[in-house]
Amino acid sequence: MLRLGFVLTLLVLLLAGCGGGGSASQKDIQKQFEAIQSLAAEGALVADGAADGRTTDVFVRVHTGYLDEAARKVHAQLSSERASGAAERDRIRAARLASSVADQLARLGDDPGDHETASRIKRGLERDAAVAERGAG
């Protein structure tokens, strides 16, 4: 739970620092990629526990709910901003990635007892975390 608090605090700080509805710099977008990477990596850990049956369904539902909400906030933030040149391309990629992470987390939370689906989601979130890490520079 301490890690969840850290992730959510980090996310709030990142979102507060990036404004909203305005112009995003490359540095702002890199910070959003960092937030996405953190959320995807945390989600992959939860999915791993669900896939192996090491976590309760309630824990998975609650934890993925928090992570899903945070990923949707990142997506909304990125979608409301604009950038120029390469930063705009990266902003669009980051927004799509945040949406993908949120969707996977929502699917995991919808049926945390499905071990096979949890395993697939784990792999997808690990891939998304790696993509986000590259985007963060």
Side-chain angles (χ1 to χ4, degrees):
M1 287 310 268
L2 180 62
R3 182 167 166 90
L4 174 63
F6 172 75
V7 169
L8 293 177
T9 301
L10 174 66
L11 184 63
V12 168
L13 291 173
L14 287 172
L15 290 175
C18 292
S23 180
S25 70
Q26 187 66 42
K27 185 175 179 178
D28 294 335
I29 295 165
Q30 286 175 324
K31 287 181 181 180
Q32 297 291 32
F33 270 120
E34 289 172 7
I36 296 164
Q37 189 278 331
S38 179
L39 293 166
E42 182 80 11
L45 289 173
V46 174
D48 184 52
D52 291 346
R54 293 188 320 258
T55 55
T56 65
D57 289 358
V58 171
F59 174 81
V60 174
R61 271 192 202 101
V62 171
H63 203 73
T64 57
Y66 288 128
L67 295 171
D68 174 31
E69 181 180 342
R72 290 191 191 286
K73 286 181 182 178
V74 171
H75 176 260
Q77 179 77 28
L78 287 162
S79 295
S80 71
E81 296 176 335
R82 296 293 170 258
S84 328
E88 177 65 7
R89 183 196 72 229
D90 289 345
R91 181 197 64 79
I92 292 168
R93 283 182 41 233
R96 286 182 184 146
L97 192 59
S99 180
S100 171
V101 169
D103 290 346
Q104 290 175 82
L105 290 165
R107 278 198 321 275
L108 180 59
D110 287 344
D111 192 5
D114 183 340
H115 302 296
E116 188 175 310
T117 297
S119 183
R120 278 195 307 271
I121 289 171
K122 173 193 168 223
R123 289 189 303 274
L125 288 169
E126 287 173 337
R127 279 189 303 271
D128 285 352
V131 170
E133 186 172 17
R134 286 190 300 273

